[in-house]
Amino acid sequence: YHPTTTTTTAAISAVELSMEQIICAKPWNCEEALQVAYCESRLNPGAISPTNSNGTRDWGLMQINDVWRQAFPVSWPNVLDAQTNINMAWHIYQLYGWQPWTCKP
């Protein structure tokens, strides 16, 4: 099966729109948050980074680093769920702004 360009474009647009809605539902600057998410994961909620130089990995839409695992013991098993990942990112952002992310707006 080889989807047509139209089908692929429509599917990508729907996924991007869904990710945009989840990201922009938080009261941070929507454009900044979208820039960070696009740079970090290309808006892919299932993104998992290669191992970082310090042995950690980054997970999901906003690429939440392993160092946050203990801060989110209940949510961590769902880190690749877009809404859960954005909720974690929002909490981190409230504490530190964009400082923890490699990609900055």
Side-chain angles (χ1 to χ4, degrees), residues 6-7 20 23 28 30 35 54 58 67 75 82 85 87 104:
T6 305
T7 303
E20 182 177 334
I23 292 166
W28 49 24
C30 176
Q35 287 173 9
N54 65 359
D58 305 316
V67 299
S75 302
N85 194 273
N87 290 344
K104 312 260 191 275

Side-chain angles (χ1 to χ4, degrees), residues 56-87:
T56 64
R57 294 182 88 174
D58 305 316
W59 302 83
L61 191 60
M62 296 297 283
Q63 291 291 274
I64 307 298
N65 188 274
D66 286 338
V67 299
W68 293 98
R69 186 182 301 257
Q70 290 182 349
F72 301 106
V74 174
S75 302
W76 192 263
N78 297 312
V79 70
L80 296 179
D81 170 74
Q83 185 64 62
T84 301
N85 194 273
I86 292 300
N87 290 344

Side-chain angles (χ1 to χ4, degrees), residues 1 4 6 14-15 18 20 22 24 32-35 43 47 57 60 68 70 72 74 80 86 90 96 102 105:
Y1 172 71
T4 64
T6 305
V15 168
S18 175
E20 182 177 334
I22 292 169
C24 292
E32 288 182 1
L34 286 170
Q35 287 173 9
L43 299 179
R57 294 182 88 174
W68 293 98
Q70 290 182 349
F72 301 106
V74 174
L80 296 179
I86 292 300
W90 170 243
Y96 302 104
T102 300

Side-chain angles (χ1 to χ4, degrees), residues 24-46:
C24 292
K26 297 295 182 193
W28 49 24
N29 180 298
C30 176
E31 289 303 315
E32 288 182 1
L34 286 170
Q35 287 173 9
V36 171
Y38 186 80
C39 177
E40 292 283 351
S41 72
R42 298 295 187 255
L43 299 179
N44 177 1

